[in-house]
Amino acid sequence: MAEEVAVDYTLSNPDTLTKYKTAAQISHKVLEAVSGWCVEGAKVLSICQRGDKLLNEEIAKVYKGKKITKGISHPTTVSPSSYITPYTPLSTDADEAAITLNLNEPVKVQLGAQIDGLGTIVCDTVLVKAEEDPDGEITGRDADVLLATYYANELLLRLMIPPGLLASGSEEDKKKAAAEKRPTQAKISQLLETVVKSYDCSIVEGTTSWLFERNEIEGKKKFVLNPPDKEGRAEGVPEVGDVWGVEMGVSLGAGKVKTIDQRPTLHRRTTITYQLKRPSSRQTLSEIVKKFGNFPFSLRQLDDERAAKVGVVECVRSNVLRQYEVVTDKDNAPVARLLTTIAITKNGLVRLGAPPALDVSKCKSDKKITDEQILKILEQPTARSTGAKGKSKKKKKKKPAKKATEEEDEEESSEDE
């Protein structure tokens, strides 16, 4: 017990970053596989089941024999065109189990892994292609929503970097940069709206980024884009040492949302304790605590899906479990989402778990960003290169570029990850 208390889970401990990166590598590998399965006619349920199976297989390969927890930090979810929240159907709901993917619809694939309670979650939007033609050009409104989401996400990531962190020049210049005011939530929302409006799109209402902590994906800080009228204030600011799950949601419609009449299948434990009355409820909760801890899970991941559907009712009613309602675009417009797990270090932003960078050369749109302030921000780096710094002068001639690349991959993570 004393040893557990003494463990340093901050980013100042190299082991913490290693665990995050290990979880991220698994998330990336499975995301790539699942995205490839999203072809015309594929069943959503089957993709989710295969994704979780692959996650468990990959997780089992790391930290063997170590006395640490490890598992899925977010089950595989595949959200069809207008769906906003992560979606994972059940095999015992015949209608939903039969849902298949349609050609050219944007689907949101979200999943994640955790090592020792340090979780990474990643989400990407892929266009469903015919199995025989997976790599065609993307045109029209499909291109618009993907480009808008990609550039808005890149802008948001840069705006989360603390002022002056990457400043260069004299010490006075650095102090001056660090003293600059952070952009407010309203200002950031305004800049992001300018980006998406360039492509005739809208930020999805209530798109929220959260501070990640050990065993917690909704920490003490959050940032809300296009907040609803009565809620959605930002809490706290990004700082060095933080790990965040940064979300971007963009709609081809007005960005308004609605909760549909569909069984919630994604749940998560809360911090509330309650003496459950039903044996079935207690049994279900016991399995949840043992398998998933405080991370989200799907009812299909429990041993008896039908029993789980009954057992969670009292758990949700007593607020022991939180259920994620199924939310879609109010106008049923197509929606794209990205989710990136980042760490903020003294050298900038590390993309721990990130969707692959969009190949903008394949996206053909007649629209573009023209705002000079935004274009200038998008040109800024997200991390400083530390490769050549501190190396001996004798080795500088031979390997500066290579060392810089290696250091960036090792210390700050590649931009492509």
Side-chain angles (χ1 to χ4, degrees), residues 84 104 111 116 143 282 297 303 319 367 400 416:
I84 296 168
N104 291 328
L111 52 84
D116 201 9
R282 293 196 294 270
F297 63 92
D303 291 340
N319 295 318
K367 304 174 182 67
D416 293 331

Side-chain angles (χ1 to χ4, degrees), residues 334-369:
V335 170
R337 281 181 63 249
L338 299 175
L339 196 152
T340 310
T341 303
I342 65 165
I344 303 175
T345 72
K346 63 182 181 180
N347 291 318
L349 185 148
V350 181
R351 304 188 195 214
L352 295 170
L358 179 68
D359 186 349
V360 295
S361 66
K362 288 184 178 180
C363 295
K364 306 300 180 183
S365 173
D366 58 357
K367 304 174 182 67
K368 64 179 182 179
I369 301 167

Side-chain angles (χ1 to χ4, degrees), residues 203-237:
I203 300 286
V204 172
E205 182 179 51
T207 296
T208 305
S209 299
W210 288 94
L211 177 72
F212 281 7
E213 300 170 338
R214 184 170 182 252
N215 294 316
E216 180 57 74
I217 62 166
E218 294 181 4
K220 299 179 181 69
K221 303 178 185 179
K222 68 177 180 179
F223 191 89
V224 187
L225 302 175
N226 192 9
D229 293 337
K230 296 181 180 179
E231 57 184 51
R233 292 176 57 190
E235 297 176 11
V237 294

Side-chain angles (χ1 to χ4, degrees), residues 183-376:
T184 63
Q185 177 173 290
K187 178 61 177 176
I188 291 176
S189 295
Q190 178 191 340
L191 291 170
L192 293 170
E193 281 291 348
T194 301
V195 171
V196 299
K197 290 301 181 188
S198 300
Y199 295 95
D200 197 17
C201 295
S202 304
I203 300 286
V204 172
E205 182 179 51
T207 296
T208 305
S209 299
W210 288 94
L211 177 72
F212 281 7
E213 300 170 338
R214 184 170 182 252
N215 294 316
E216 180 57 74
I217 62 166
E218 294 181 4
K220 299 179 181 69
K221 303 178 185 179
K222 68 177 180 179
F223 191 89
V224 187
L225 302 175
N226 192 9
D229 293 337
K230 296 181 180 179
E231 57 184 51
R233 292 176 57 190
E235 297 176 11
V237 294
E239 297 173 302
V240 172
D242 284 355
V243 174
W244 283 74
V246 182
E247 182 179 18
M248 178 54 59
V250 176
S251 168
L252 281 175
K256 298 296 182 183
V257 305
K258 65 180 178 182
T259 301
I260 62 174
D261 186 19
Q262 200 162 302
R263 179 195 298 275
T265 62
L266 195 65
H267 295 73
R268 181 172 171 263
R269 238 178 105 205
T270 70
T271 56
I272 294 173
T273 56
Y274 178 81
Q275 187 61 45
L276 299 170
K277 296 178 174 60
R278 294 177 177 272
S280 61
S281 305
R282 293 196 294 270
Q283 183 177 344
T284 298
L285 182 61
S286 175
E287 184 182 355
I288 290 166
V289 171
K290 183 179 179 181
K291 284 186 173 180
F292 312 113
N294 292 333
F295 290 101
F297 63 92
S298 168
L299 295 182
R300 62 177 171 74
Q301 293 175 283
L302 297 173
D303 291 340
D304 188 331
E305 193 178 284
R306 292 186 187 278
K309 286 158 74 172
V310 175
V312 297
V313 173
E314 185 186 4
C315 296
V316 171
R317 191 169 57 237
S318 58
N319 295 318
V320 173
L321 293 181
R322 170 191 168 188
Q323 65 181 21
Y324 291 82
E325 303 293 342
V326 183
V327 176
T328 67
D329 186 273
K330 191 173 183 180
D331 303 320
N332 294 321
V335 170
R337 281 181 63 249
L338 299 175
L339 196 152
T340 310
T341 303
I342 65 165
I344 303 175
T345 72
K346 63 182 181 180
N347 291 318
L349 185 148
V350 181
R351 304 188 195 214
L352 295 170
L358 179 68
D359 186 349
V360 295
S361 66
K362 288 184 178 180
C363 295
K364 306 300 180 183
S365 173
D366 58 357
K367 304 174 182 67
K368 64 179 182 179
I369 301 167
T370 58
D371 186 286
E372 289 298 328
Q373 181 186 8
I374 289 170
L375 292 172
K376 186 177 179 181

